């Protein structure tokens, strides 16, 4: 019998206020579905200790078996704190965030790459402004009507109350509209013009300590996975650890998997020198294997954009990332694509879900199977649609 493959997976979510248990349940449901499609079995058990949250997997694949331990590197508390703004605070974020992207020129540079994520970024601005217009219109009509049968000084406060009630109603409906959620997301990225806030830097230091501890364990592979905004946090995390600690020959292989990245939304901002330096340094490191997976059909990410090259920091010694497409139109059935067509937020999470017709990208085989990331993709080349336009600010600016 072949040797059991052992792995530790550190997963960094995107900007998500939901507790990390949702990722365990998502993994449980979708792994079972993918196993039925692809002919393998993954059994899960919970593993939670203090603030740390995760699960364990025992996997049986046709070629061999593997054991993987998952841990979610949580920062949902920082997300929740950043979302504790009232209606007025959110509209203040709208103004400051729009000004940051427009005045810095980042918005125009982003539009050179993919229009989908730029339109997704404009979506909360447009929707919130429409909501404000509707609220003001409703308030004006109510106030004018009351002033006709009474006096203007009675109509004015009524108008203001109506405006507030309508805006509050829209906010209560945001679990369907996502305008407030997305506005908080983009505002979090832009709040320091691209520089990480101190509380996020502190959390990254905690993650770095955890990763360094894991690298000292007896494992075959340590796999760091970053989804959406978590992708650029994963990049900075690995750059921090590899700069400070030279890996030993007896340590497990280190791999990075970035999914549906939105790196340019951060790296194109004027004070993102830290992230741009991390991208440049990590792209040349021989100490890891870095795979980036996205899809042109995902309007919430920069599909097939090489995050290093488009930021303008690719050097002559660039090794990473290997950029491949999840190719939703090929890997999902027509029935599934029809079902997800207007659910763009769900499509952004497809990387973490089962595929009807998986090709070489299979999230569950990668994170729980008996092959390491470097071995699985050793012969793979970039997808033909890879975008390398150097639209970003580069290292010097």
């Amino acid at each position: 019998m072949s040797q059991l493959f052992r792995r530790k997976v550190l997963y960094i979510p995107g900007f998500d206020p939901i507790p990390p248990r949702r990722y365990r349940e998502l993994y449980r449901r979708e792994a079972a579905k993918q196993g039925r499609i692809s002919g393998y079995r993954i059994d899960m058990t919970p593993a939670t200790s203090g603030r740390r949250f995760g699960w364990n997997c025992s996997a049986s694949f046709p070629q061999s078996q593997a054991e993987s331990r998952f841990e979610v590197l949580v920062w949902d508390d920082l997300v929740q704190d950043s979302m504790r703004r009232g209606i007025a605070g959110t509209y203040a974020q709208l103004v400051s965030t729009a000004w940051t992207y427009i005045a810095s020129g980042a918005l125009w540079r982003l539009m050179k790459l993919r229009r989908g994520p730029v339109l997704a970024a404009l979506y909360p601005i447009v929707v919130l402004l429409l909501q404000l217009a509707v609220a003001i219109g409703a308030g004006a009509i109510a106030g004018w009507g009351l002033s006709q049968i009474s006096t203007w000084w009675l109509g004015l406060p009524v108008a203001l109350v109506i405006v507030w009630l309508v805006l509050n109603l829209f906010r209560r409906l945001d679990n369907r509209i996502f305008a407030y959620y997305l506005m908080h997301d983009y505002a979090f990225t832009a709040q320091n013009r691209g520089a990480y806030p101190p509380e996020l830097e502190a959390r990254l230091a905690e993650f770095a300590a955890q990763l360094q501890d894991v690298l000292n364990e007896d494992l075959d592979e340590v796999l760091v996975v970053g989804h959406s905004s978590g992708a650029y946090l994963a990049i900075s995390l690995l750059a921090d650890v590899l700069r400070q600690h030279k890996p030993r020959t007896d340590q497990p292989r280190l791999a990075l998997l970035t999914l549906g990245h939105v790196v340019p939304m951060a790296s194109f901002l004027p004070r993102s020198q830290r992230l741009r330096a991390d991208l440049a340094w990590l792209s040349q490191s021989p100490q890891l294997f870095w795979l980036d997976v996205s899809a042109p059909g995902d309007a919430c990410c920069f599909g097939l954009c090489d995050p290093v090259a488009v930021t303008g920091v690719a050097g002559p010694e660039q090794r990473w990332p290997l950029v491949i497409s999840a190719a939703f139109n090929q890997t999902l059935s027509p029935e599934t694509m029809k079902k997800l067509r207007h659910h763009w937020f769900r499509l952004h999470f497809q990387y973490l879900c089962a595929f009807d017709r998986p090709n070489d990208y299979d999230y569950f085989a990668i994170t729980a199977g008996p092959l390491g990331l470097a071995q699985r993709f050793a012969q793979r080349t970039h997808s033909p649609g890879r975008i390398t336009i150097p639209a970003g600010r580069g290292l010097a600016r």
Side-chain angles (χ1 to χ4, degrees):
M1 181 178 291
S2 58
Q3 185 178 1
L4 183 71
F5 190 91
R6 293 167 301 168
R7 173 191 294 107
K8 180 67 179 279
V9 180
L10 299 177
Y11 174 75
I12 306 180
F15 187 88
D16 191 349
I18 305 299
R21 64 177 177 271
R22 70 170 289 187
Y23 293 102
R24 181 185 64 194
E25 298 312 311
L26 177 67
Y27 195 97
R28 184 192 307 279
R29 182 181 69 248
E30 297 296 322
K33 181 179 177 181
Q34 192 68 74
R36 290 191 296 270
I37 294 170
S38 302
Y40 55 73
R41 179 184 176 89
I42 297 176
D43 296 311
M44 290 175 55
T45 56
T48 304
S49 176
R51 281 188 59 204
R52 299 189 178 186
F53 185 92
W55 59 90
N56 299 326
C57 286
S58 295
S60 296
F61 281 68
Q63 63 269 42
S64 188
Q65 296 182 328
E67 289 184 353
S68 299
R69 293 183 290 118
F70 288 73
E71 183 175 335
V72 180
L73 300 184
V74 296
W75 61 294
D76 59 290
D77 56 321
L78 302 184
V79 174
Q80 292 169 13
D81 288 343
S82 72
M83 295 178 69
R84 289 189 180 123
R85 296 212 175 213
I87 294 172
T90 300
Y91 278 93
Q93 283 185 330
L94 184 156
V95 174
S96 63
T97 301
W99 174 252
T100 295
Y101 279 101
I102 293 172
S104 67
L107 180 63
W108 320 121
R109 288 192 290 272
L110 291 168
M111 291 181 70
K112 295 179 182 178
L113 301 177
R114 290 280 188 192
R115 293 186 179 181
V118 175
L119 293 176
L122 293 175
Y123 167 81
I125 295 175
V126 172
V127 171
L128 287 172
L129 290 178
L130 286 175
Q131 291 178 1
L132 181 61
V134 170
I136 291 175
I141 292 171
W144 178 83
L146 187 59
S147 66
Q148 297 304 300
I149 60 176
S150 180
T151 58
W152 69 266
W153 54 264
L154 185 59
L156 180 61
V158 169
L160 294 175
V161 169
I162 294 297
V163 169
W164 183 87
L165 287 174
V166 172
L167 289 176
N168 192 56
L169 175 61
F170 281 129
R171 190 181 184 190
R172 289 177 178 273
L173 295 174
D174 201 60
N175 60 341
R176 300 178 183 178
I177 302 172
F178 299 114
Y180 279 82
Y181 165 76
L182 289 171
M183 191 69 257
H184 294 313
D185 185 355
Y186 298 124
F188 185 86
T189 301
Q191 61 182 310
N192 292 330
R193 293 166 59 84
Y196 293 160
E199 61 272 17
L200 186 57
E201 286 284 12
R203 191 59 53 86
L204 283 171
E206 293 180 21
F207 293 167
Q210 290 176 239
L211 176 56
Q212 187 56 46
D213 288 343
V214 172
L215 286 171
N216 292 323
E217 296 182 18
D218 185 15
L219 298 163
D220 295 297
E221 179 183 60
V222 174
L223 174 62
V224 179
V225 181
H227 174 243
S228 193
S229 301
Y232 64 75
L233 298 184
I235 291 164
S236 290
L237 168 62
L238 264 70
D240 286 347
V241 170
L242 291 178
R243 281 196 194 102
Q244 298 170 15
H245 305 279
K246 184 177 180 179
R248 304 190 310 270
T249 56
D250 61 340
Q251 286 186 329
R253 293 186 293 273
L254 180 60
L256 171 62
L257 175 62
T258 49
L259 304 172
H261 80 79
V262 292
V263 169
M265 293 299 298
S267 66
F268 281 25
L269 291 172
R271 292 187 58 202
S272 64
Q273 293 94 337
R274 194 269 216 239
L275 175 57
R276 297 200 297 269
D278 293 342
L279 283 161
W281 192 89
L282 201 65
S283 70
Q284 301 181 30
S285 175
Q287 301 166 353
L288 82 159
F289 185 96
W290 176 6
L291 176 70
D292 180 75
V293 183
S294 59
D298 174 11
C300 295
C301 83
F302 286 84
L304 292 182
C305 289
D306 182 322
V308 177
V310 301
T311 300
V313 297
E317 303 299 321
Q318 181 186 0
R319 296 168 176 255
W320 315 114
L322 171 62
V323 177
I324 71 169
S325 175
F328 292 163
N329 285 330
Q330 301 172 27
T331 55
L332 297 174
S333 68
E335 295 77 18
T336 301
M337 284 300 296
K338 183 178 180 180
K339 186 189 304 182
L340 298 178
R341 182 169 299 155
H342 302 296
H343 298 274
W344 45 269
F345 200 66
R346 166 60 178 79
L347 265 178
H348 189 48
F349 278 84
Q350 178 58 42
Y351 311 98
L352 311 177
C353 299
F355 286 83
D356 303 309
R357 301 178 295 206
N359 50 28
D360 51 358
Y361 177 71
D362 178 334
Y363 180 64
F364 306 98
I366 289 171
T367 56
L371 291 179
L373 194 69
Q375 183 180 1
R376 179 177 294 276
F377 290 92
Q379 305 305 316
R380 188 64 158 84
T381 57
H382 297 295
S383 289
R386 173 179 173 238
I387 296 173
T388 58
I389 301 169
R393 307 177 69 90
L395 286 172
R397 291 178 287 171

